[in-house]
């Protein structure tokens, strides 16, 4: 007897979110939490390193840039490999790799050593976001996909908040080294947990044709009533011939949206990493204590967490463009206001919160937009290359901030300049036309 193939997407869509899927989201969220912890940790420990090593503020610009350049390389390389080898092995390997690198960071005693190790750490970190977003999206029903993906993305901003709280708590007693010991031990445990519990993408397994019997096990965990029949196949509406191909991002009418996604990522990550890396240092120079400056900087990812949670539901009910365009326009106003309100603490905190809501919270939405736009065979590649090009902005942001500080420009002017990329991001999204995701 010939059985009709099982439609994976339809089965996931008609069932409530299972404990198995929640486990996937939790593991992905924990993984990306440590990504956010590491990225923010360097910004939080920067004032302590400057004081202990007696170096200039601008000299840390290349250190920030080295880590981000490593993330660029990792994002471009491992996103393509993940579309060829699978999400699971890349995620687990990258998590274990960057955990070891973080544990080695306190051994650095010179800026050159720190710069090289941050680059190497960044290579592992660059593999995290594209594959977490791809895997979470592939285990989500379409009706709630953006909300769930952005909920998982909250791990990044939560990790950034945790990094700030940990730094503020442990640095006065144990120094900046303790931040990296904590930040290295936790992902090591998470990586081992993923090795035991994290499944592979069902769509990827079916398209690869390897160990397809595992799909039935995972589907039973999503739908206990599902009973696979002997010889029954699975339906995944994708073509295999373009798997992991960068050139395919520009075919089938995707070129315009691909380029605009790259530009939005570039502009927003320039802003995000400028603010993340330099905000505590700038605020300390403006008169705040080290602890107060770190805590004020922590407001940025707090706003990002709120923004991520709010935007996901708004986008599922509306559209990416209707939510993101106003958000980036509001971000421009908030960033400009930061430079005008350094001596009005309440207004400064509100401005930082709104900037975090729109800029930090907007980045997971841009990632979700890429994940929703590209098909399974190109999903990690599409997200990874979009983020990879964006990492160029994340490198330029801290370096540009260092140069502006070196030139002793007033903070009001610096933050006015930082508002321009948010305005341009809104323009790029207005120009974008993105049909619904293909699976």
């Amino acid at each position: 007897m010939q059985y009709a193939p099982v439609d994976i997407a339809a089965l996931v869509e008609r069932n409530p979110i299972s404990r198995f899927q929640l486990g996937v989201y939790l593991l992905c969220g924990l993984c990306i939490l440590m990504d956010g912890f590491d990225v923010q940790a360097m910004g939080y420990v920067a004032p302590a390193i400057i004081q202990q090593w007696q170096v200039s503020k601008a000299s840390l610009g290349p250190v920030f840039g080295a880590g981000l350049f490593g993330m660029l390389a990792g994002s471009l390389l491992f996103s393509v490999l993940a579309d060829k080898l699978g999400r699971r092995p890349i995620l687990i390997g990258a998590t274990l790799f960057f955990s070891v690198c973080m544990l080695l960071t306190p051994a650095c005693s010179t800026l050159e050593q720190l710069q090289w190790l941050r680059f190497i750490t960044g290579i592992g970190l660059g593999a995290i976001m594209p594959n977490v977003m791809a895997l979470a999206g592939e285990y989500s029903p379409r009706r709630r996909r953006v909300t769930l993906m952005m909920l998982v993305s909250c791990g990044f901003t939560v990790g950034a908040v945790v990094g700030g709280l940990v730094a503020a708590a442990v640095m006065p007693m144990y120094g900046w080294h303790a931040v990296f010991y904590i930040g290295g031990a936790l992902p090591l445990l998470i990586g081992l947990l993923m090795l035991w519990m994290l499944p592979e993408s069902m769509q990827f397994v079916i398209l690869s044709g390897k160990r397809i019997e595992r799909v039935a096990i995972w589907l039973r965990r999503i739908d206990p009533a599902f009973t696979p029949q002997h010889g029954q196949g699975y339906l995944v509406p994708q073509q295999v011939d373009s798997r992991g191909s960068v050139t395919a991002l520009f075919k089938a009418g995707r070129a315009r949206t691909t380029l605009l996604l790259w530009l939005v990522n570039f502009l927003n990550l320039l802003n995000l990493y400028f603010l993340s890396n330099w905000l505590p240092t700038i605020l300390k120079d403006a008169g705040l204590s080290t602890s107060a400056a770190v805590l004020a900087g922590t407001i940025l990812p707090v706003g990002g967490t709120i923004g991520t949670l709010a935007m996901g539901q708004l986008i599922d009910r509306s559209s990416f463009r209707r939510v993101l365009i106003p958000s980036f326009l509001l971000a421009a106003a908030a960033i400009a206001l930061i430079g005008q309100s350094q001596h009005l603490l309440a207004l400064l905190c509100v401005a930082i919160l709104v900037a975090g809501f729109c800029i930090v919270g907007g980045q997971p939405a841009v990632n979700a937009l890429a994940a929703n736009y590209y098909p399974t065979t190109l999903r990690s590649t599409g997200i990874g290359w979009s983020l990879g090009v964006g990492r160029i902005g994340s490198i330029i942001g801290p370096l540009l901030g260092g140069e502006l500080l070196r030139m002793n420009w007033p903070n009001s002017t610096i933050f006015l300049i930082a508002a321009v990329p948010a305005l341009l991001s809104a323009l790029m999204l207005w120009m974008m036309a993105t049909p619904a995701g293909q699976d």
Side-chain angles (χ1 to χ4, degrees):
M1 181 177 179
Q2 187 73 27
Y3 294 97
V6 179
D7 188 331
I8 298 291
L11 186 147
V12 172
E13 184 68 31
R14 67 173 176 260
N15 280 278
I17 304 297
S18 66
R19 291 176 61 185
F20 172 66
Q21 289 163 285
L22 290 175
V24 174
Y25 304 146
L26 178 61
L27 288 172
C28 288
L30 288 173
C31 183
I32 208 168
L33 184 148
M34 295 313 304
D35 184 7
F37 183 106
D38 177 87
V39 168
Q40 282 294 109
M42 196 62 224
Y44 291 135
V45 304
I49 291 177
I50 290 169
Q51 184 175 358
Q52 182 179 330
W53 289 3
Q54 294 296 298
V55 295
S56 67
K57 292 174 295 184
S59 65
L60 278 184
V63 175
F64 292 140
L68 299 170
F69 188 74
M71 293 176 75
L72 184 158
S75 184
L76 297 181
L77 173 63
F78 289 113
S79 60
V80 176
L81 284 178
D83 279 330
K84 296 179 182 294
L85 304 178
R87 325 293 191 220
R88 184 179 186 274
I90 298 298
L91 266 178
I92 294 172
T95 301
L96 294 174
F97 176 80
F98 85 75
S99 70
V100 173
C101 291
M102 289 187 74
L103 289 170
L104 292 173
T105 301
C108 296
S109 57
T110 67
L111 285 174
E112 184 178 4
Q113 291 173 358
L114 187 60
Q115 186 173 335
W116 276 106
L117 191 54
R118 292 304 298 167
F119 170 76
I120 295 169
T121 305
I123 293 175
L125 288 168
I128 302 299
M129 182 70 78
N131 290 293
V132 160
M133 294 298 288
L135 191 61
E138 287 161 354
Y139 272 96
S140 300
R142 179 183 292 278
R143 67 184 183 277
R144 298 183 64 190
R145 180 175 294 169
V146 176
T147 297
L148 289 166
M149 290 172 69
M150 292 188 65
L151 186 61
V152 169
S153 295
C154 274
F156 185 90
T157 47
V158 169
V161 174
V162 170
L165 296 176
V166 168
V170 304
M171 281 200 302
M173 293 182 291
Y174 305 106
W176 63 269
H177 304 80
V179 177
F180 287 100
Y181 285 132
I182 295 170
L186 291 177
L188 186 61
L189 295 175
I190 293 168
L192 294 175
L193 191 63
M194 291 166 66
L195 193 62
W196 175 40
M197 298 182 63
L198 187 69
E200 182 56 272
S201 160
M202 293 184 291
Q203 292 91 330
F204 177 85
V205 170
I206 292 167
L207 291 173
S208 67
K210 298 176 181 178
R211 300 186 66 184
I212 296 181
E213 67 277 3
R214 295 179 296 173
V215 174
I217 298 172
W218 296 328
L219 287 176
R220 285 290 299 274
R221 294 179 180 176
I222 295 172
D223 180 4
F226 171 70
T227 303
Q229 305 297 328
H230 179 71
Q232 189 173 28
Y234 299 98
L235 177 63
V236 178
Q238 303 294 345
Q239 298 298 318
V240 190
D241 55 357
S242 61
R243 178 182 293 134
S245 169
V246 178
T247 57
L249 300 178
F250 296 89
K251 296 178 180 178
R254 288 187 282 259
R256 177 185 175 88
T257 299
T258 292
L259 289 173
L260 289 171
L261 274 171
W262 287 8
L263 286 171
V264 172
N265 267 281
F266 171 85
L267 294 165
N268 197 55
L269 286 173
L270 185 152
N271 254 341
L272 194 158
Y273 281 85
F274 163 72
L275 293 171
S276 298
N277 284 288
W278 285 116
L279 194 55
T281 300
I282 292 173
L283 294 178
K284 183 178 183 298
D285 286 350
L288 275 66
S289 68
T290 299
S291 294
V294 167
L295 290 174
T298 306
I299 295 174
L300 187 77
V302 168
T305 303
I306 299 170
T308 301
L309 291 171
M311 284 191 206
Q313 297 186 50
L314 290 172
I315 291 168
D316 270 331
R317 295 174 184 174
S318 181
S319 71
F320 284 99
R321 293 175 69 195
R322 289 178 181 176
V323 174
L324 285 175
I325 291 174
S327 294
F328 284 127
L329 291 174
L330 182 59
I335 293 169
L337 185 60
I338 292 173
Q340 305 290 333
S341 56
Q342 294 166 76
H343 303 294
L344 301 170
L345 188 59
L347 185 59
L348 174 66
C349 291
V350 170
I352 295 172
L353 185 72
V354 173
F357 184 101
C358 300
I359 295 295
V360 183
Q363 186 57 43
V366 175
N367 297 338
L369 173 57
N372 196 61
Y373 178 68
Y374 294 109
T376 295
T377 50
L378 290 173
R379 186 158 290 135
S380 282
T381 302
I383 302 170
W385 273 73
S386 182
L387 273 171
V389 173
R391 298 293 183 198
I392 299 173
S394 71
I395 294 167
I396 292 174
L399 293 174
L400 178 62
E403 289 305 311
L404 293 176
L405 289 173
R406 193 196 304 274
M407 291 187 291
N408 292 316
W409 283 27
N411 291 341
S412 58
T413 303
I414 290 174
F415 284 103
L416 195 61
I417 293 171
V420 174
L423 289 174
L424 294 176
S425 293
L427 176 62
M428 297 301 105
L429 284 159
W430 178 75
M431 296 170 60
M432 193 179 296
T434 53
Q438 301 180 45
D439 65 351

